Amino acid sequence: MKVTILNGNDHASNVDFDQYINQLEDELNSHGHQVKHLLLRDMKINYCIGCFDCWLKTPGECVHHDDGRLVPPAILECDFLLWASPLRLGYPSAILKRTMDRSIPILLPYFDIVNDEAHHAARYPHYPLAGLLIAPEADTDTEDRKLVENMFSRTALNMKSRLTFSADTAQSPAEVATLIENAAGLKKTLPAYPAATRGVAIQPPHRITVFNGSPRGKKGNSPILLGKFLQGFTAANPANSSEIFDLAETRRTEEFAAKFAGAECAVIAFPLYTDAMPGIVKTFIEALEPCKERSQNPPVLFVVQSGFPEAAHSRFVEAYLQKLAARLGCPYVGTIVKGGIEGIQGQPEQMTRKLFERFEQIGRTFGETGALNGDQLARLAKPERFPRILGPLFKLLSASGLLNMWWDMQLKQNQAFEQRFNRPYAQ
């Protein structure tokens, strides 16, 4: 068996984790398996910038010429992929998340129907089984373990794989090696869809500090939606104001963390990336750890948007965000979730009018009451899931190419249409 280990230990001082992985590697080697161990902190792996060039200009290959290009072949050539990392504020490290974001070239931009929901279509005929190994934090509890396991189960599903187990370093390397060897026979059910979370009402703030987590910065879809929300917030009270910071400016992460700590109310918005937050947002989250030692941290609300049509995809990271707010000691105002957002920049006004009006209405209500209205959030989120009866229709539209028109148009503009199914890492 060929095994690839993506080691997300972000601190060389954490020798225990590296020793654990080395022992696991030795155990697997002693059983005749071939192990490729990538120590991610020693590799130059840039953040995904959301350019989609790996789908639209150089199909199957990232435009970054860095060590991140070593990751897709390491995934595709193995039989088993192990995501391994210490937890940082309830989720694996930012360096592992950054690496996972760079794996999207191994998929196609087109949608397929899997388990009655939209997922990206396969680019390759083979993908490895997957497992998750974490090192718990001092305050890790059962809920934390389940939240991260659920998100990685979803990531594996979208990566044409299956999460076969979730283990932690309390188990011996020999036990984890046995799990890997027996992975094909391990049956792990997919997690149930979490319900939308409920936040608390706060005193209506007069100033909110907004953190735009779009890897595209000001050119992303998140700032467009934030702009509509802020229009409503300001309309509720002309004295209201806001300031916006782009988390894509990662050199300013510590500055942004200080802005968060001093905020009257914070808003964090981002697109769904490999079923969680983008790497730049995870880096920012980790910079907020000192807030755990402070009292009177700001209330926080989140905005999660995605290209998937259904809101259900984002409910898993939403559950994590609620726990994150509690871990930071921040009142949790709630999360605004909306799917089907990719492409809104090029859509005519009549197609986005209702969407923008709803974001503005939510912002106005928040400015007036200090709360997110559950009915407004539910209307915005629709469709939560596609009715099962529409599955065959969706498949028919996909097979006809109608659902691919937006992608195909851009591929043709880039003279890359004939290469759209390229498999640069095929063996």
Side-chain angles (χ1 to χ4, degrees):
M1 178 188 295
K2 293 182 179 180
V3 179
T4 292
I5 301 174
L6 299 183
N7 182 351
N9 180 14
D10 49 352
H11 294 301
S13 59
N14 187 355
V15 295
D16 289 344
F17 192 85
D18 282 348
Q19 288 176 352
Y20 186 103
I21 297 298
N22 290 336
Q23 291 171 18
L24 174 60
E25 184 177 359
D26 290 342
E27 188 77 24
L28 290 167
N29 284 328
S30 71
H31 291 191
H33 304 296
Q34 301 176 46
V35 181
K36 177 169 287 188
H37 175 190
L38 299 183
L39 184 57
L40 303 180
R41 69 170 184 269
D42 287 346
M43 300 170 66
K44 178 176 173 52
I45 301 177
N46 294 316
Y47 291 99
C48 174
I49 57 175
C51 66
F52 286 161
D53 283 4
C54 62
W55 283 341
L56 299 174
K57 292 185 178 180
T58 56
E61 292 186 280
C62 182
V63 294
H64 287 305
H65 291 275
D66 60 5
D67 293 335
R69 287 198 167 204
L70 302 175
V71 176
I75 293 173
L76 293 165
E77 70 186 12
C78 75
D79 304 298
F80 189 89
L81 171 67
L82 183 67
W83 291 302
S85 174
L87 293 185
R88 301 279 184 242
L89 287 176
Y91 188 90
S93 67
I95 182 60
L96 179 60
K97 187 65 185 67
R98 184 193 313 182
T99 303
M100 293 166 65
D101 294 348
R102 292 284 302 278
S103 66
I104 66 166
I106 67 176
L107 300 171
L108 294 170
Y110 306 130
F111 284 156
D112 196 4
I113 297 297
V114 180
N115 293 349
D116 297 315
E117 62 185 30
H119 287 272
H120 287 293
R123 182 180 293 276
Y124 292 88
H126 163 78
Y127 294 85
L129 293 173
L132 174 66
L133 174 68
I134 61 169
E137 299 168 280
D139 59 353
T140 298
D141 58 22
T142 301
E143 182 186 21
D144 294 318
R145 296 171 191 270
K146 181 55 65 175
L147 289 171
V148 72
E149 177 183 319
N150 287 350
M151 284 184 282
F152 274 76
S153 290
R154 297 289 300 181
T155 299
L157 174 64
N158 206 32
M159 291 294 175
K160 308 306 168 189
S161 179
R162 176 167 60 88
L163 189 72
T164 58
F165 68 81
S166 175
D168 68 47
T169 50
Q171 298 165 258
S172 71
E175 290 174 314
V176 175
T178 299
L179 289 172
I180 293 173
E181 291 175 326
N182 297 326
L186 298 177
K187 303 300 181 184
K188 194 172 188 61
T189 58
L190 287 169
Y193 295 97
T197 60
R198 291 178 176 267
V200 300
I202 60 173
Q203 182 69 28
H206 292 297
R207 185 170 178 80
I208 53 179
T209 303
V210 182
F211 300 94
N212 167 29
S214 171
R216 302 174 193 169
K218 293 180 175 61
K219 296 180 180 179
N221 294 312
S222 294
I224 295 175
L225 302 179
L226 285 169
K228 302 304 177 182
F229 175 85
L230 293 175
Q231 283 180 21
F233 175 71
T234 303
N237 185 341
N240 287 349
S241 64
S242 62
E243 55 182 348
I244 303 180
F245 300 100
D246 295 319
L247 298 183
E249 299 180 55
T250 52
R251 68 186 185 281
R252 300 177 62 191
T253 297
E254 294 300 323
E255 175 193 345
F256 295 159
K259 293 289 185 181
F260 178 94
E264 181 183 356
C265 178
V267 177
I268 302 175
F270 58 84
L272 190 70
Y273 261 47
T274 56
D275 300 273
M277 73 298 291
I280 59 168
V281 176
K282 186 56 175 43
T283 296
F284 174 66
I285 288 172
E286 291 179 12
L288 301 180
E289 188 161 11
C291 289
K292 293 172 63 176
E293 309 301 324
R294 299 173 64 249
S295 59
Q296 298 182 328
N297 287 312
V300 60
L301 66 90
F302 301 90
V303 181
V304 182
Q305 54 91 359
S306 79
F308 292 121
E310 316 99 317
H313 289 274
S314 299
R315 296 300 181 194
F316 296 87
V317 71
E318 176 186 357
Y320 164 77
L321 295 172
Q322 182 180 39
K323 182 64 183 290
L324 172 66
R327 177 173 265 112
L328 294 174
C330 297
Y332 175 69
V333 180
T335 299
I336 304 169
V337 169
K338 182 58 182 171
I341 293 301
E342 187 55 50
I344 62 170
Q345 297 189 42
Q347 292 176 359
E349 182 180 353
Q350 61 268 27
M351 292 183 64
T352 57
R353 179 178 53 81
K354 184 176 292 187
L355 169 70
F356 292 166
E357 286 177 352
R358 286 179 173 170
F359 264 92
E360 187 172 347
Q361 183 183 43
I362 291 170
R364 180 188 290 269
T365 300
F366 175 67
E368 293 171 346
T369 68
L372 296 179
N373 181 282
D375 291 337
Q376 291 176 353
L377 295 184
R379 284 194 295 271
L380 174 73
K382 289 180 179 179
E384 184 70 26
R385 292 192 68 196
F386 279 126
R388 182 167 294 183
I389 193 173
L390 295 182
L393 175 61
F394 195 97
K395 287 185 176 181
L396 180 63
L397 291 173
S398 180
S400 71
L402 290 175
L403 294 181
N404 303 335
M405 290 178 60
W406 188 76
W407 297 105
D408 287 346
M409 178 182 66
Q410 295 180 84
L411 280 159
K412 290 174 182 177
Q413 289 174 351
N414 296 325
Q415 289 78 50
F417 181 74
E418 299 301 325
Q419 293 78 45
R420 64 194 184 283
F421 297 123
N422 274 8
R423 294 174 178 171
Y425 303 113
Q427 298 184 47

